[in-house]
Amino acid sequence: MDDVADAVGVSRATVSNAYNRPDQLSAQLRDEVLRAAKKIGYAGPNPTARSLATSRTGAIAVMLDTNLSLAFSDPALSVTLDALASVVDPGGHALLLLPGDGESGGPRAERVLTAQADIAVACSLADGAPALDAIRDRRMPLVVIDQPHVRGSARIGVEDRAGAAAAARHLLDLGHRRIGIFSAQCLSSPRGGEMTPEHAADTRFHDTRERLAGYLDTLAEAGIPAADVPIWEASGISVEGAVPSAFGLLDRDPRPTALLCMSDQLALAAISAAGHLGLSVPADLSVVGFDDVPPARWSEPPLTTVRQDLSAKGRIAGELVLGLLRGDKTPAPAQLPVELVVRGSTARA
């Protein structure tokens, strides 16, 4: 930095500002500093030294409930994380992804304890995930996207129960009475397959419980008891992974005439399974998803679904992260509204 400063004829602080506080310099002076640095071979402040000096790493630990392969196959998560990154990136913050171990509903606690990060974001972790204990032990600020509900954390979610109720009412209004529920994973053992309402309600994922309650309560109000509603847990969260469970849900006598699916990925898996069984959607089977990810609009037929604003959720999560890093007071949890979007995958019974 001294060499660069001497070459340009400025102070060491000016060189530092060129990298760390560019708004403090004119564009012309900053370009001159960077050109001199490049000529000398100086690549900028050492990240490790900067971390030691500021007690900040610039990293945000994003804790996922599943492995990266499955996480990257989820378009809802991709849209949300992209929006989060767009908010924090201009401030020099980077996302450090911590994948789940597939069993505990989050990353291993040991991985969280050693992660070099200033703040954590929990993306749809299970209740009681050991990773949450590690966050508490480190006294690290926490932002939660969707779930779980953690006292003292900042959280942004959506109106899951209301969205599920709207989906169920839509099918009832179309005259459907044999309605099945295709559930997200519940960390049950074994994974995938038919579940009782009590078993499904015992899931460690808060959003799954909320959507299940929205479905079942609405159907019960129409005179359809929970015992008459088949519920199947998906064997995977991707379309490919969920298809085997979709076959099981549809291979019943009597077969459901409509399905309430807890995600668009599960709905697309159900449509694929229906096609392999020779069933036409929506003539033989109506399907409703949840999320309104981009593939839902281009599926065949286009998917009726519950839309949540995934981009807004990610942006708000990013703003919560920046606020906590500034030392702002933790705000009250917030929920975004949802809306039913009717397309071509549902029809009258």
Side-chain angles (χ1 to χ4, degrees):
M1 290 180 70
D2 289 335
D3 292 340
V4 175
D6 290 343
V8 182
V10 297
S11 68
R12 179 189 177 99
T14 298
V15 176
S16 176
N17 284 340
Y19 291 94
N20 300 318
R21 303 176 66 191
D23 58 307
Q24 301 297 305
L25 304 174
S26 68
Q28 180 179 353
L29 178 55
R30 182 170 189 264
D31 288 344
E32 187 177 352
V33 170
L34 296 181
R35 282 197 302 271
K38 184 175 182 180
K39 183 176 181 180
I40 291 172
Y42 175 62
N46 183 282
T48 303
R50 177 189 289 169
S51 175
L52 291 172
T54 63
S55 298
R56 288 286 180 90
T57 66
I60 300 164
V62 178
M63 304 185 295
L64 307 175
D65 71 315
T66 188
N67 62 52
L68 291 183
S69 176
L70 290 176
F72 289 152
S73 72
D74 182 359
L77 178 62
S78 297
V79 172
T80 301
L81 290 185
D82 184 63
L84 187 158
S86 71
V87 172
V88 302
D89 181 70
H93 304 286
L95 304 185
L96 172 64
L97 299 183
L98 303 181
D101 61 11
E103 297 297 329
S104 67
R108 292 181 295 108
E110 295 80 6
R111 184 67 187 89
V112 176
L113 287 171
T114 59
Q116 298 295 310
D118 304 317
I119 190 170
V121 176
C123 289
S124 295
L125 300 195
D127 295 343
L132 301 172
D133 293 330
I135 293 297
R136 281 190 288 269
D137 290 344
R138 290 187 60 175
R139 299 182 180 178
M140 183 181 287
L142 175 65
V143 173
V144 174
I145 298 178
D146 289 328
Q147 58 190 357
H149 291 200
V150 179
R151 185 180 301 230
S153 67
R155 186 177 67 85
I156 178 64
V158 300
E159 295 177 346
D160 291 286
R161 188 180 295 222
R169 280 195 297 270
H170 173 63
L171 293 180
L172 291 169
D173 290 344
L174 291 174
H176 292 280
R177 290 299 180 268
R178 297 203 311 271
I179 300 172
I181 295 175
F182 201 8
S183 172
Q185 288 191 307
C186 301
L187 291 183
S188 62
S189 182
R191 301 290 175 84
E194 191 163 13
M195 309 173 73
T196 64
E198 294 76 20
H199 187 191
D202 197 37
T203 174
R204 290 169 54 202
F205 291 100
H206 181 270
D207 291 359
T208 300
R209 294 195 300 271
E210 286 291 288
R211 294 180 190 183
L212 181 67
Y215 295 144
L216 292 179
D217 289 351
T218 304
L219 296 179
E221 291 170 2
I224 304 174
D228 291 346
V229 181
I231 305 171
W232 276 65
E233 179 190 17
S235 49
I237 64 173
S238 66
V239 174
E240 295 80 5
V243 165
S245 291
F247 277 123
L249 181 53
L250 293 175
D251 188 22
R252 304 176 59 85
D253 186 16
R255 174 183 52 77
T257 64
L259 295 182
L260 292 163
C261 304
M262 289 193 184
S263 74
D264 288 347
Q265 293 288 86
L266 300 186
L268 296 175
I271 291 175
S272 176
H276 282 90
L277 293 172
L279 302 174
S280 174
V281 176
D284 300 317
L285 179 72
S286 286
V287 178
V288 183
F290 202 114
D291 290 332
D292 197 24
V293 297
R297 301 160 214 170
W298 313 116
S299 66
E300 184 54 46
L303 183 63
T304 294
T305 187
V306 176
R307 174 184 292 160
Q308 59 165 308
D309 194 335
L310 297 163
S311 293
K313 188 164 66 174
R315 289 194 302 271
I316 292 172
E319 292 163 2
L320 292 172
V321 165
L322 296 180
L324 293 183
L325 288 175
R326 288 193 302 265
D328 294 352
K329 183 179 179 181
T330 302
Q335 281 191 317
L336 295 174
V338 296
E339 63 173 319
L340 180 70
V341 181
V342 179
R343 298 195 180 103
S345 66
T346 52
R348 295 202 65 81

